[in-house]
Amino acid sequence: GNVASCLRLWCLVKGPGAPGACLHQPPAQEDADSSQSLVFADLTPAELAQVVRYLQGHLGLPLVDAAWAKPSDNCIASVALQVPAKAEVLRFLDGAGARPPREALAVLYFGAQAEPNVTEYVVGPLPTPVYHRDVTVRRYGGKVPYHRRPTLAVEYKQLAGFLKSQVFPAAPSFMRQVMEYDGGSLAALTAAPRGFRSGDRITWFALFQNVSGFFVHPVGLEVLVDHSSLDISRWAVSRVFYNGQYYRDMVQLESSYVQGRISVQKVRRAPRDGDFSSMKPRAPSAAPFPLQYEPQGPRYSVRNNHVLYQAWSFAFGMSVSTGLRLFDVRHKGERVAYEISIQEAMSVYGSNCPAGMSTRYMDGSFGIGRYSSPLVRGVDCPYLATYLDVHFLAQSQVPQVTKGAICIFEQNVGSPLRRHYSNLQALYYGGLVNSALVLRSIATVGNYDYIWDFVFYQNGAIEGKVQATGYASSSFFYGDGLRYGNRIWEHTLGTIHTHFINYKVDLDVGGRSGSSFTACHCSGEPQCSRGLPPVSGSQAAVLSQRIPPAPAPSHGVWLRIPVELHECRAAPCCCRGWAMLVPCEPSRALLPLSGHGSGCSLGRCEGSAGGVRCY
């Protein structure tokens, strides 16, 4: 079923200004802002191609195009913008430093090395790169084992070929008589993750009728494939599931079927359009839908990757992994957020079938930005919206483009921003039209279409919103299936599931803040001290000063917390704030922490016998 969840970021940084204020900035200011915003701009096709050529010529290793690479090959999985460090960018944006060098982040799969691994390189400076540096260990604390690599599209093709050429022929009677398989009538849908122990690379594949909207046409057959070997010829079936029963492999399934020891549930073959799952309208529209129009043209401007609207300005981009993101968000010229970006969309399923019960999709591993789809004018966005292309390089050595993958438009919210009709004392009416600017992309990741919106309101509020549509994920209905969802067709169980949507929000209201999602690891229990000594080192230490506990509950104690920001490159820079610490047992503490410092806000603190971790 459809879900709609929204994250409302109420940044009421200013009161509403005078009517019509900040509709446009002077041309010189607009040019300066749009030029500065290029520090956040996605890589161009020319830059992407340059990075590929550089890697091909400077790594000293053969690189196979990821579009047809075998697991045992080396290939470029993706190339994208390496966003510069926040401190460098802010110095540049605020006129105190030079423009940071433009760099790319390249993710490579090294399957042809003695120890296969995933390696990340920063390549620069663009447009003519002359260096690359391995950042894998710094980012992940060590080498990334090869089995952890996200699955390439070509590996799915290889798995489909394995099912067709090796798996299905092992049960010819069952596949022909029960599945009515003709070589192309079944579609496989992957589960995830690929195992539950470190080192696993085994995947359940559920089989569906290969028709429009196949996600809701399960046939009851699921196959667990071990594809951990880099040699495709050594892939094997680990388990088979059909109509509530597990089998060792397809040979055992075939034997049980021939001997009449299987409870068969034949599924009526669906037409090519999917019948009930077809997206074709069931009836013509009675009349044209209403349209919105702009009497004097758009009241916003888009230049490069920079948008101006009323009192708002911001830069935007599209991460190939995580999707739409905003940078340097300003209201009336004042920066209120350094970054607001999508981070992950996760869905956790339940079922009485193995593929469904084991599925925990993390769509960032598939590529939320990569699977952003072209937007249909008048349906996905208004006709008069501004449509922008997205360029990316993923699972190929050739840059690709998704036409019209981002739209920008202003819409009438449909209710007044404020109004009053006076019928006491004096008779008068006052009201303001409420409109908002929308930045939108839609990512189709498997069965779900996620509609991602960032909405900018006149009253200084920003809204991050996601709506999920598309198709439900389903399992074959049998036995106690109603404990795990709802029956939506004769043999189709719409499975219970939960969506988790994650955003990164780095607010800079009233000055620069630390990274919203940087963790600081603190050794030892908090210690009380009279002074506030300077903090040094790459990780922050928590030093506390006991204050008379009058403002706090009797079970709490007020602490002054200095924290070193991770973005600091030279001298220590600390933000100091107040927090209330609620102690628990010394051996195992869970310590709620709320910051009230100048530009510093900590979310929570966890403590144990081994130390304290601050988030």
Side-chain angles (χ1 to χ4, degrees), residues 434-588:
N434 194 8
S435 66
L437 187 78
V438 180
L439 177 73
R440 172 176 294 170
S441 70
I442 303 179
T444 303
V445 188
N447 57 304
Y448 270 108
D449 293 61
Y450 291 102
I451 304 173
W452 303 98
D453 286 352
F454 286 112
V455 188
F456 297 82
Y457 294 94
Q458 297 178 78
N459 63 355
I462 310 171
E463 179 183 16
K465 181 171 67 174
V466 57
Q467 303 171 70
T469 180
Y471 286 98
S473 186
S474 71
S475 289
F476 187 76
F477 179 80
Y478 80 93
D480 61 348
L482 291 179
R483 293 180 58 191
Y484 304 93
N486 295 294
R487 193 174 189 174
I488 59 177
W489 205 244
E490 183 181 3
H491 296 290
T492 304
L493 178 71
T495 49
I496 188 172
H497 60 281
T498 301
H499 290 264
F500 300 88
I501 306 298
N502 298 88
Y503 289 80
K504 177 179 180 179
V505 183
D506 185 355
L507 297 179
D508 278 0
V509 178
R512 178 187 170 184
S513 72
S515 173
S516 302
F517 285 80
T518 297
C520 53
H521 299 275
C522 319
S523 60
E525 297 292 333
Q527 299 175 357
C528 294
S529 63
R530 287 294 177 185
L532 288 171
V535 181
S536 60
S538 61
Q539 293 180 327
V542 171
L543 302 166
S544 57
Q545 179 183 22
R546 186 178 295 273
I547 304 298
S554 59
H555 61 276
V557 59
W558 286 92
L559 303 174
R560 187 185 292 272
I561 310 291
V563 179
E564 180 186 30
L565 302 181
H566 278 216
E567 289 81 359
C568 300
R569 296 299 180 90
C573 54
C574 301
C575 57
R576 296 176 177 178
W578 295 94
M580 189 181 76
L581 184 65
V582 181
C584 301
E585 297 177 9
S587 60
R588 184 177 181 83

Side-chain angles (χ1 to χ4, degrees), residues 141-438:
K143 291 186 176 181
V144 178
Y146 199 54
H147 67 264
R148 294 183 186 173
R149 70 193 187 280
T151 305
L152 299 176
V154 66
E155 188 172 354
Y156 285 121
K157 293 180 182 178
Q158 292 157 353
L159 285 161
F162 172 72
L163 291 173
K164 185 174 181 179
S165 64
Q166 303 296 320
V167 178
F168 298 158
S173 299
F174 175 83
M175 294 302 297
R176 183 178 63 256
Q177 297 171 17
V178 179
M179 297 287 105
E180 299 184 14
Y181 180 62
D182 60 9
S185 56
L186 294 179
L189 183 64
T190 180
R194 310 191 187 286
F196 295 97
R197 295 176 301 178
S198 181
D200 282 353
R201 197 169 180 83
I202 56 176
T203 304
W204 277 105
F205 289 93
L207 279 300
F208 298 79
Q209 294 191 61
N210 190 16
V211 297
S212 178
F214 71 88
F215 308 101
V216 289
H217 291 276
V219 296
L221 179 63
E222 300 183 2
V223 180
L224 180 62
V225 178
D226 183 343
H227 52 115
S228 56
S229 175
L230 305 190
D231 182 352
I232 295 176
S233 67
R234 299 182 62 183
W235 290 355
V237 171
S238 297
R239 196 68 61 90
V240 172
F241 178 86
Y242 174 70
N243 194 22
Q245 296 295 319
Y246 288 92
Y247 301 89
R248 182 178 62 254
D249 52 26
M250 293 295 286
V251 173
Q252 185 185 27
L253 174 65
E254 173 78 357
S255 175
S256 298
Y257 172 68
V258 171
Q259 296 172 23
R261 293 188 285 110
I262 284 183
S263 173
V264 173
Q265 288 286 340
K266 288 199 66 172
V267 177
R268 178 175 59 87
R269 193 155 186 172
R272 290 294 298 170
D273 69 359
D275 191 14
F276 74 94
S277 64
S278 172
M279 282 288 180
K280 293 180 180 178
R282 298 299 192 266
S285 176
F289 288 93
L291 300 175
Q292 69 176 51
Y293 72 102
E294 299 161 329
Q296 297 179 338
R299 303 197 305 164
Y300 62 89
S301 66
V302 183
R303 185 170 299 188
N304 299 319
N305 66 322
H306 188 256
V307 177
L308 288 174
Y309 168 68
Q310 302 281 326
W312 291 105
S313 68
F314 58 90
F316 65 91
M318 178 77 80
S319 164
V320 69
S321 298
T322 60
L324 207 56
R325 54 190 182 183
L326 309 177
F327 292 100
D328 195 26
V329 180
R330 303 190 186 205
H331 187 268
K332 295 185 178 179
E334 180 181 345
R335 184 179 300 114
V336 296
Y338 177 75
E339 178 182 356
I340 304 176
S341 56
I342 304 161
Q343 293 294 297
E344 186 60 89
M346 181 182 180
S347 49
V348 178
Y349 285 82
S351 173
N352 58 350
C353 295
M357 72 174 67
S358 63
T359 291
R360 283 98 175 94
Y361 288 132
M362 297 185 71
D363 291 333
S365 66
F366 297 96
I368 297 173
R370 177 181 178 237
Y371 285 106
S372 292
S373 61
L375 301 173
V376 176
R377 191 179 295 268
V379 180
D380 295 329
C381 302
Y383 276 102
L384 294 180
T386 299
Y387 292 81
L388 304 169
D389 300 342
V390 168
H391 299 272
F392 65 95
L393 191 147
Q395 306 192 22
S396 171
Q397 289 185 352
V398 180
Q400 302 168 65
V401 60
T402 303
K403 304 291 288 184
I406 295 175
C407 73
I408 303 172
F409 58 93
E410 184 181 6
Q411 67 177 5
N412 188 311
V413 175
S415 60
L417 178 63
R418 70 171 186 233
R419 59 96 67 189
H420 180 68
Y421 182 85
S422 176
N423 54 12
L424 298 175
Q425 304 296 328
L427 180 64
Y428 64 89
Y429 169 81
L432 286 177
V433 176
N434 194 8
S435 66
L437 187 78
V438 180

Side-chain angles (χ1 to χ4, degrees), residues 39 43 80-84 101-105 122 133 138-139:
V39 73
L43 299 184
L81 173 70
Q82 168 68 15
V83 179
R102 191 157 166 82
E103 296 176 321
L105 178 66
V122 169
R133 60 180 183 272
R138 179 172 65 83
R139 285 172 175 253

